Amino acid sequence: MAEAAAIKGVRVNHIPKGFTYGGVVVSKHHGITEYGYQWGDDRPNADPKQRSLWVRVVCWPKASELAQLKNGPFDMRTFSGDTRTAKIGGRQVLTQEGDGALGDGRYAGWVEREGVVVTVMASRPLVPELAKIIKGIKL
């Protein structure tokens, strides 16, 4: 699948169907690099059936434990507010409800290894597939 190969070195083995576009997103700031891929459909953000997904890798040398994700130096999305720890897709993750800024749904993240964080934002229609999405992400 071409979209899955769009993030060099990252495999997203479960990409739900129904997306009409996608693109690479990269940001460098405060000594960290964030890169990822966003998928979406043509529905407006206000449509409850709107489908969007993004997977992001954050190269943050100081990252070593899950608690650090709260208010981390992320540019594209932060874990702030009402977060909780959960086991999703076989990984211990920090999670919170989407606030609407990037769509309603579920935001999850984990420390893949020291210095490397992975985050996923899935819109509400994709939340039932979140465990499968997270489990299928390989670096």
Side-chain angles (χ1 to χ4, degrees), residues 24-68:
V24 174
V25 180
V26 178
S27 175
K28 292 182 181 193
H29 59 92
H30 302 97
I32 69 172
T33 301
E34 301 178 61
Y35 64 96
Y37 201 86
Q38 283 180 234
W39 295 266
D41 67 16
D42 292 332
R43 293 180 180 98
N45 286 345
D47 186 333
K49 293 182 181 177
Q50 190 256 355
R51 299 169 67 81
S52 64
L53 171 68
W54 56 267
V55 174
R56 170 182 61 168
V57 175
V58 183
C59 300
W60 175 25
K62 294 180 182 177
S64 62
E65 58 187 52
L66 202 54
Q68 290 176 287

Side-chain angles (χ1 to χ4, degrees), residues 1 4 7 10-15 39 53 55 133 136-138:
M1 181 172 288
I7 310 170
V10 179
R11 280 240 191 273
V12 182
N13 291 312
H14 179 74
I15 301 172
W39 295 266
L53 171 68
V55 174
I133 294 165
I137 295 173
K138 308 285 184 222

Side-chain angles (χ1 to χ4, degrees), residues 63-134:
S64 62
E65 58 187 52
L66 202 54
Q68 290 176 287
L69 274 61
K70 288 184 181 182
N71 300 309
F74 308 133
D75 191 30
M76 292 188 242
R77 181 84 157 85
T78 62
F79 286 94
S80 57
D82 189 18
T83 61
R84 66 181 182 92
T85 303
K87 191 154 190 156
I88 302 175
R91 291 186 163 98
Q92 196 69 20
V93 302
L94 190 65
T95 184
Q96 75 179 37
E97 289 297 312
D99 61 7
L102 289 171
D104 290 328
R106 173 83 51 175
Y107 183 47
W110 64 93
V111 178
E112 179 72 17
R113 59 181 174 267
E114 191 166 333
V116 180
V117 173
V118 178
T119 64
V120 176
M121 178 66 196
S123 63
R124 187 140 331 271
L126 303 178
V127 169
E129 296 184 64
L130 190 56
K132 221 174 181 181
I133 294 165
I134 288 173

